[in-house]
Structures are given as structure tokens and as C-alpha cells.
């Protein structure tokens, strides 16, 4: 699903954010990305999303090399990647259903399909009974699970998560990790999660 071959990213200022990075992430694999501040974790995520392009080396996302990707193809690439934020970025004036449905609305999905896919996504994260609720009435862990449902509602093969447990207590954080593991095992999703928490990191298939 993801492949980095001798990837280096150097900015115009001369700062080298990544140097000769090599790794692969297979279908259905769950890996943590760790490292101190400034180690290049955010840059690595930007390379996967084609927000930045590598200075040297090869980045492959779901079989597509990003070395010379055309601008018009970047939106198509990003539809193959779900993204979960530390701060879930929910719309608090919209219901849980409407928040999860947002990517489908953007894609122009038919209303009947929207209802089916949102229902399936909320069921996966254990919130099927919360569809009509407003996010403000949910716990922090539930809000983050809504964010995860929104990220997977279009069934992307890859999920990136940037410190998704950073604002959660230990129990809620573990629930999120177990949810990611279930998505990998049952849906074949590939998950790359950034974390600074060594306790949670021990729950992944491997650590980068």
C-alpha cells in the first residue's frame, strides 16, 4: 500500500527533513510512526498526501508512484487515503450523520448510497445509535470515533492518523487503537499512525 525507497526531502532553506528513508506498509498492516519533534513525521505524511514531493527517492501510494504526479491527479490520489486528526475537526452545527457524510457529499454520492455508507461506517465504530446526535453531546472518545467514521466512509485502502489519541484518556485511546486493529483485520485497511505514546505504540503490528 505504501512504499518509500531511499526518500530524501530537503527544503529550499537547506533543511533536510528526511534522509534516505526506506519502508513498506502492506495491505491490512498497522504500524506506528514515532520520533521526537522535528524528526520528519509530519513531512512524511505530507509526502504520502502529495502535499510535498520528495527531493530524491520514490514514494509509491497504492501502486502509484508520486515522483512526477500531475496536479490534476492529486485529488484522485487523496480519495484513496483517509485522514484522522488529533483534533477531530467535526462541525458542531451538524449532526453526527452529516459530519460522517461530508466526504460523500463532496464526491456527489446519491442520497440513498450516502445513507447506506454512513450507516455502515458508524456501525464499524460502534456509534450507529448516535447518527442523529450533535457532536457536542458526545464524549471525547466518541467524537474521535466520529472522525474515524468520516475518514473511512469512502472505504479508502489507506488510513493516516496524526496523534489521534493525543487528547484522549488511556481507556479511550486504547479503544481507538483496537478500532484501527479491527479495521485492518476485517477490512484490509492499511493504517499508519503517528504517536508519542510508548504504551499505545506497543499495541501495533510494528513501529517505524
Amino acid at each position: 500500500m505504501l512504499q518509500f525507497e531511499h526518500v530524501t526531502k530537503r527544503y529550499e532553506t537547506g533543511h533536510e527533513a528526511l534522509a534516505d528513508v526506506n519502508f513498506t506498509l502492506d495491505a491490512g498492516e498497522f504500524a506506528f510512526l514515532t520520533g521526537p519533534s522535528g524528526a520528519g513525521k509530519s513531512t512524511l505524511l505530507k509526502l504520502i498526501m502529495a502535499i510535498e514531493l520528495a527531493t530524491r527517492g520514490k514514494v509509491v501510494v497504492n501502486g502509484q508512484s508520486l515522483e512526477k504526479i500531475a496536479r490534476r491527479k492529486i485529488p484522485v490520489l487523496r480519495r484513496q487515503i483517509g485522514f484522522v486528526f488529533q483534533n477531530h475537526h467535526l462541525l458542531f452545527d451538524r449532526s453526527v450523520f452529516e459530519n460522517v457524510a461530508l466526504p460523500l457529499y463532496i464526491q456527489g454520492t446519491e442520497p440513498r448510497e450516502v445513507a447506506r455508507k454512513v450507516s455502515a461506517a458508524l456501525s464499524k465504530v460502534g456509534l450507529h445509535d448516535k447518527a442523529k446526535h450533535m457532536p457536542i453531546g458526545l464524549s471525547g472518545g466518541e467524537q474521535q470515533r466520529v472522525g474515524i467514521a468520516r475518514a473511512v466512509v469512502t472505504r479508502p485502502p489507506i488510513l493516516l492518523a496524526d496523534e489521534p489519541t493525543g487528547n484522549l484518556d488511556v481507556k479511550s485511546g486504547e479503544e481507538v487503537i483496537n478500532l484501527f486493529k479491527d479495521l485492518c483485520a476485517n477490512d484490509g485497511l492499511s493504517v499508519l499512525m503517528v504517536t508519542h505514546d510508548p504504551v499505545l505504540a506497543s499495541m501495533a503490528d510494528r513501529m517505524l
Side-chain angles (χ1 to χ4, degrees):
M1 287 290 108
L2 293 177
Q3 185 176 358
F4 274 52
E5 294 182 7
H6 302 290
V7 172
T8 293
K9 176 61 180 180
R10 181 180 291 109
Y11 290 98
E12 292 179 0
T13 59
H15 172 62
E16 193 169 70
L18 296 170
D20 197 32
V21 174
N22 296 274
F23 76 90
T24 59
L25 186 71
D26 295 329
E29 188 175 12
F30 181 19
F32 277 120
L33 179 65
T34 64
S37 296
K41 300 184 299 297
S42 294
T43 297
L44 190 145
L45 296 183
K46 289 176 181 177
L47 292 179
I48 296 171
M49 298 286 289
I51 296 171
E52 305 273 5
L53 295 179
T55 306
R56 291 197 304 274
K58 188 175 185 180
V59 178
V60 180
V61 177
N62 198 24
Q64 181 175 7
S65 177
L66 307 188
E67 290 170 278
K68 296 180 180 179
I69 186 170
R71 284 186 177 274
R72 60 185 172 79
K73 292 185 177 181
I74 291 177
V76 177
L77 167 79
R78 291 177 182 162
R79 290 190 195 118
Q80 302 173 55
I81 304 169
F83 200 98
V84 180
F85 303 89
Q86 179 175 349
N87 298 311
H88 36 70
H89 296 302
L90 299 181
L91 301 175
F92 281 86
D93 62 342
R94 298 289 186 271
S95 69
V96 166
F97 180 97
E98 290 171 312
N99 269 276
V100 176
L102 185 59
L104 299 172
Y105 293 151
I106 292 171
Q107 290 184 10
T109 305
E110 293 183 358
R112 184 178 297 180
E113 273 296 285
V114 169
R116 184 185 68 79
K117 290 183 177 182
V118 170
S119 178
L122 286 174
S123 293
K124 285 182 187 298
V125 301
L127 293 176
H128 187 267
D129 60 336
K130 305 285 187 180
K132 296 181 180 179
H133 289 226
M134 302 302 284
I136 195 68
L138 304 181
S139 69
E142 288 173 330
Q143 290 175 359
Q144 190 59 287
R145 281 191 277 154
V146 173
I148 294 169
R150 180 183 57 195
V152 302
V153 72
T154 58
R155 299 184 65 84
I158 298 166
L159 182 67
L160 305 179
D162 192 3
E163 293 279 4
T165 62
N167 294 330
L168 303 180
D169 57 42
V170 174
K171 182 176 182 297
S172 297
E174 289 179 350
E175 289 174 352
V176 167
I177 301 304
N178 286 325
L179 175 56
F180 285 156
K181 294 178 79 170
D182 287 344
L183 289 169
C184 290
N186 298 324
D187 292 59
L189 198 65
S190 301
V191 178
L192 181 63
M193 173 178 155
V194 174
T195 185
H196 286 98
D197 190 330
V199 176
L200 292 177
S202 66
M203 299 175 67
D205 294 341
R206 65 187 175 109
M207 191 184 304
L208 303 175

